[in-house]
Amino acid sequence: MRLHVGALAVTGAIVAATAYVLGGIMHVLTPWGAPALVSYIFHVDIIQLGVPFSWDSFLVGAIVFAGAGAFFGGFAAWVYNTVSSEKRLSWPAKAPAPAAKP
């Protein structure tokens, strides 16, 4: 089975953009929440490094995030198709169970 590279790239872009928008909403609703969450995940205190939220930074971040998601989604599909190609790699068939000796 081959994966459609374009479809997985679009899926990656949509998933990444959705995650970014949810993070933006979290930042607007609880300005301390997003930095606190990242601080807990990476074990680094970034709460003091707050950046003012603006529509410009939101749109640029969403575009970059969606682009990265598209790139990595397409790349993952390409790698999968390359590795799973029947010409390049053939998995051994399941061996039958040995017959019992009388």
Side-chain angles (χ1 to χ4, degrees):
M1 177 179 88
R2 294 182 57 80
L3 296 177
H4 190 272
V5 175
L8 199 54
V10 170
T11 301
I14 291 170
V15 169
T18 303
Y20 187 83
V21 168
L22 291 175
I25 291 170
M26 182 179 173
H27 183 69
V28 169
L29 295 178
T30 60
W32 52 267
L37 178 63
V38 173
S39 293
Y40 287 129
I41 291 171
F42 292 108
H43 307 289
V44 175
D45 185 17
I46 65 161
I47 294 174
Q48 303 302 326
L49 301 175
V51 177
F53 186 81
S54 69
W55 284 108
D56 294 342
S57 66
F58 175 77
L59 291 176
V60 169
I63 290 169
V64 169
F65 226 67
F71 173 78
F72 287 111
F75 182 69
W78 176 79
V79 169
Y80 175 84
N81 289 339
T82 302
V83 170
S84 69
S85 173
E86 291 181 21
K87 296 175 188 172
R88 294 182 181 263
L89 182 65
S90 86
W91 298 100
K94 200 173 201 181
K101 294 183 181 179

